[in-house]
Amino acid sequence: MKWYADRPGRLWRQLTADLFAAAWVWFWVSAALVARDTVLALRAPGDQMTRAGGGLHDTFTDAAAKAREVPLVGGKLGEALDKGRDAGATLVDAGRSQIEAVETTALWLTIALIAVPVAFLLVTWLPLRVRYARKAAATARLRDTRRFDLLALQALTTLPLRELARFEDDPADGWRRRDVAVVEALAARQLAVCGLRAAR
C-alpha cells in the first residue's frame, strides 16, 4: 500500500492529518492519566480508614489477650474488648471497599477516556487513510506498468464532467480511438487526483 502522495500539496495535507491524529491520541491518553491520578487521590480516606482500623484491631486484640489473664473478670473483659477488635476489622473492610471502588472508577474512567477518542479515529480517519493507500497503490502500479489506457478509463468514469469538459475534443472518443495524447492526458489527470506524479 502507498500511504502518502507524491505531490507536495496532498502530501502535506496527509502529514498534517496524521500528526493531528497522533496528537489527538496523545492528548486523550494524557488526559486519561491525569484523570486517573485525580480519582486515585480520592482513595486517601480509604487508606487512612484501613490503617486506623488495622491499628484499632491490633490494639484491641492485644488488650483482649491481656485482659483474659485477669482473674475472675478476665473472660468477660476479653469478650468486651473483642467487640472493639471486630469494630477495627469492620473499619478495615470499609476502607478496602472504598479503595476498591475508587480504583475501579479510575480504571474505567481511564479506559473510557482513551477508548472513545481512539474509536472515533478508527471510524473516521483510519478508513480514509486505508482507502487512499489502496487506491494510490493500485494507481501507482498501473502507472509503473504503463497501463495508461486503464488510468484513462478510470478518469473517464470518475472525474467530474467539468474536468472532462476542459478537453478540446471528446475524451471518450479519443480514448476509444486510443489517441495517445488523450489517453496520456486522462491518465495524468487521474494520477493527479491521487496525488501521484505522472509517469516519466
Side-chain angles (χ1 to χ4, degrees):
M1 288 199 288
K2 184 173 177 59
W3 291 100
Y4 292 100
D6 298 332
R7 294 173 181 260
R10 184 148 192 183
L11 174 62
W12 282 113
R13 287 196 301 273
Q14 290 172 333
L15 288 173
T16 302
D18 291 353
L19 288 174
F20 176 79
W24 173 267
V25 172
W26 176 84
F27 171 79
W28 284 107
V29 168
S30 300
L33 294 177
V34 169
R36 183 199 64 184
D37 293 342
T38 303
V39 172
L40 286 177
L42 299 176
R43 66 171 275 169
D47 290 332
Q48 293 172 355
M49 200 181 302
T50 302
R51 284 194 298 272
L56 194 63
H57 179 273
D58 294 343
T59 300
F60 273 99
T61 299
D62 294 341
K66 290 179 181 174
R68 284 190 175 82
E69 296 173 2
V70 176
L72 300 175
V73 295
K76 292 201 180 265
L77 189 56
E79 287 177 11
L81 291 172
D82 283 342
K83 291 180 181 174
R85 180 197 63 196
D86 295 341
T90 302
L91 201 56
V92 169
D93 291 340
R96 286 178 180 161
S97 296
Q98 183 179 351
I99 290 169
E100 288 176 8
V102 168
E103 288 178 344
T104 301
T105 302
L107 173 65
W108 286 109
L109 180 63
T110 304
I111 291 172
L113 285 175
I114 293 173
V116 171
V118 169
F120 175 75
L121 278 185
L122 292 178
V123 299
T124 55
W125 167 81
L126 187 61
L128 293 175
R129 294 295 287 124
V130 170
R131 190 177 309 126
Y132 171 81
R134 288 179 176 166
K135 181 178 180 180
T139 304
R141 272 195 306 274
L142 290 175
R143 177 197 63 190
D144 296 341
T145 55
R146 307 193 69 76
R147 299 299 307 271
F148 301 129
D149 55 335
L150 292 178
L151 286 173
L153 178 61
Q154 188 178 24
L156 283 172
T157 57
T158 59
L159 287 178
L161 289 176
R162 66 177 180 278
E163 292 283 335
L164 297 176
R166 292 180 181 173
F167 286 85
E168 292 181 7
D169 297 324
D170 179 10
D173 182 56
W175 178 81
R176 281 192 295 270
R177 289 186 290 105
R178 296 186 181 275
D179 184 322
V180 174
V182 172
V183 168
E184 287 184 353
L186 286 169
R189 187 69 195 107
Q190 185 60 35
L191 288 166
V193 167
C194 289
L196 301 177
R197 291 192 182 93
R200 295 175 182 173

